[in-house]
Amino acid sequence: MSAVVVRVRAAVRGLRRELVVLGAVVVVLVALVLVGLGVGEIPLSPGQVVAALFGHGDTVSDFVIGQLRGPRTLAALLVGASLGVAGGIVQSVVRNPIASPDVIGITSGASASGLTAIVLFGASGASLFTVVLVGAVLVSLVIGGLAWRRGITGNRVVLVGIGVAAMSLSVTGWMLTSGTVQQAGTALLWLSGSLNAVDRGVVGLLGVGFVVLMVAALVQSPRLTVLTLGDEVAASLGLRPNRAKVLLLLTAVLLTAAAVATAGPVSFVALMAAPIARRLVGGGRVALGVSAAVGAVIVLASDLIAQFAIPGNALPVGVVTGVVGAPYLLWLLARGR
C-alpha cells in the first residue's frame, strides 16, 4: 500500500508542476499576443488592444485588430500549437528526439502536395487546405508502409522518413521549375513558412481542426504515456501498441498538415517545442498542453522578430525558426549516439 501511495503522490506532484508550468507559459503567451496586436505602423496601447478584443474598442483599433493583426496573430498561435503537439506525439511514439514531422518527411510531403496544387491548379484557401491534408496522409501511409516490420520502430521511421523527404523535395524542385515566374514567387513565399498574408477562412478551418485534434490527442495521451515505457510493457498492461501508434501518428499528421496548409512549412517548431516542454515539466511527462503552449510561444516570438528585425522588410516566420532550429538539430545529432 505504501508503494501505491508514493506513486499517487508522485503523480499528483507531477500534475501540479505541469499545471504551474502551463500557467507560466500561458502568461508569456498572453504577453506576446498583446505585443503582437499592439505594435506596428499604427501602435495600440495594451488598454486599446484589450478593449478591442472585448468589443469595446474605437474604430481604428477594431479595424487594425479585426482585419490586419488579429488573423495573423491567431494563425501564429494555432500553427505553433499544432506543430508543438504534433512534435510531442511523434517524438514520444517513435521514442527518438529528432523524429519530428520536419525530419521524417511529413512536412516535406505536405509541402510538395500543396505546391503541386498551387502550380498546376492555382489552388488556394479551402481547396489548398484539403489537398495538403490528403497529401500528408498519403505520404505518412508510404512512410508507415516502408518502415513497418511487425510494428513501428523509431530508427526505421526516421531513416525511411529522411528518404521520403528527399523524394518530396525533388517534387518541390520540379514544380518550382515547371511553373511561371509569378507562380514560383508565390510558391517560394509559401514554402518559406509565411504569415504575411494568411487567409482568414483557412485560419478558421485550422482553428476548428486544432480543437478537434487537440481533444483527440488529450484523449489518447494516457496511451502515449504507456507507449513511452516500451512496446512490451505497453502490451503487458493491456494496450495494443501498434494500433495506438497508428491512431496517435494520424493525429500528428493531420495537425502538421493543417499547420502547413495555413502558413506553409514553418520549420523546426515541432522539433523544438516538445523537448522544451518536457524539460520545463520534468519527470518524463509527455505534457501535450505545455508542448502546444511552447510551440505557440515559439511561432509568435519568431513572427515578431520576422516583422521588426529588419525595418521595412517583413521576413517569413519560417526563416527565423530555421535560424534557431537548425543549430538545435545539429546539437542533437552531435550529442546523440
Side-chain angles (χ1 to χ4, degrees), residues 48 57 138 157 223 284:
Q48 288 177 298
L138 292 177
V157 170
R223 300 175 185 174

Side-chain angles (χ1 to χ4, degrees), residues 141-156:
L141 290 175
V142 172
I143 296 171
L146 293 175
W148 188 276
R149 285 298 182 274
R150 296 181 181 178
I152 298 174
T153 57
N155 290 336
R156 290 189 63 86

